[in-house]
Amino acid sequence: VSRYGALLDSTVDRVTDALPLLGVLVFYAEAPTLAVVPGLALIGAVVIPYVRARTEALGATLPGLFMRRPERLVLLIICLLLGELEAAVQVAAPLLLLGTFVLAALNTFGGVLVLRAARVALDASELDTSEFERSRPPSASSTTLRRP
């Protein structure tokens, strides 16, 4: 796989994560209070992979954490399937809204977890780098000679 192919794959993954939630957001657009729920789920679906990718770009690695793409995708499919069921309430597709609310809450929790793990991983990689820098003898190019 080329570097561009990996980039394209990641980009398509993000778009395919966002489009169904955007559809749910549009579905509830006439009720702005309800539209906040899929909006929050959408933000969480973007934040988690962004933090992971950015952490790895900064040279640290993260362990497998909660609410990665497969978990988010399965939960989203369940939400969309629940949207077909009727309930005796005044809200359109209430089970879709409930499932999207659960997705939003879990994405928020997952986002907090990935940020905390990223901080630990980045702090650890900084310590490793600084220990490496201290143990390395200074090179001639890194020292400057000044004449009086």
Side-chain angles (χ1 to χ4, degrees), residues 117-132:
R119 182 176 185 181
V120 169
L122 290 169
D123 287 349
S125 70
E126 283 181 10
L127 287 175
D128 291 344
T129 302
S130 63
E131 288 176 15
F132 174 74

Side-chain angles (χ1 to χ4, degrees), residues 47-59:
V47 166
I48 294 170
Y50 173 79
V51 171
R52 177 172 290 283
R54 185 70 179 132
T55 301
E56 290 173 358
L58 292 170

Side-chain angles (χ1 to χ4, degrees), residues 21-124:
L21 288 169
L22 183 61
V24 175
L25 191 136
V26 169
F27 179 77
Y28 288 108
E30 291 182 17
T33 306
L34 300 178
V36 168
V37 174
L40 291 174
L42 181 59
I43 290 169
V46 171
V47 166
I48 294 170
Y50 173 79
V51 171
R52 177 172 290 283
R54 185 70 179 132
T55 301
E56 290 173 358
L58 292 170
T61 56
L62 291 175
L65 294 169
F66 182 68
M67 288 309 287
R68 293 190 67 177
R69 187 165 192 262
E71 291 93 352
R72 289 191 315 270
L73 188 60
V74 166
L75 190 51
L76 180 59
I77 290 169
I78 292 169
C79 291
L80 293 171
L81 292 173
L82 288 175
E84 291 294 315
L85 300 176
E86 294 295 323
V89 294
Q90 297 298 321
V91 176
L95 295 177
L96 172 62
L97 185 63
L98 176 64
T100 306
F101 177 80
V102 170
L103 180 62
L106 292 174
N107 278 348
T108 301
F109 183 66
V112 170
L113 286 180
V114 75
L115 279 170
R116 291 182 70 199
R119 182 176 185 181
V120 169
L122 290 169
D123 287 349

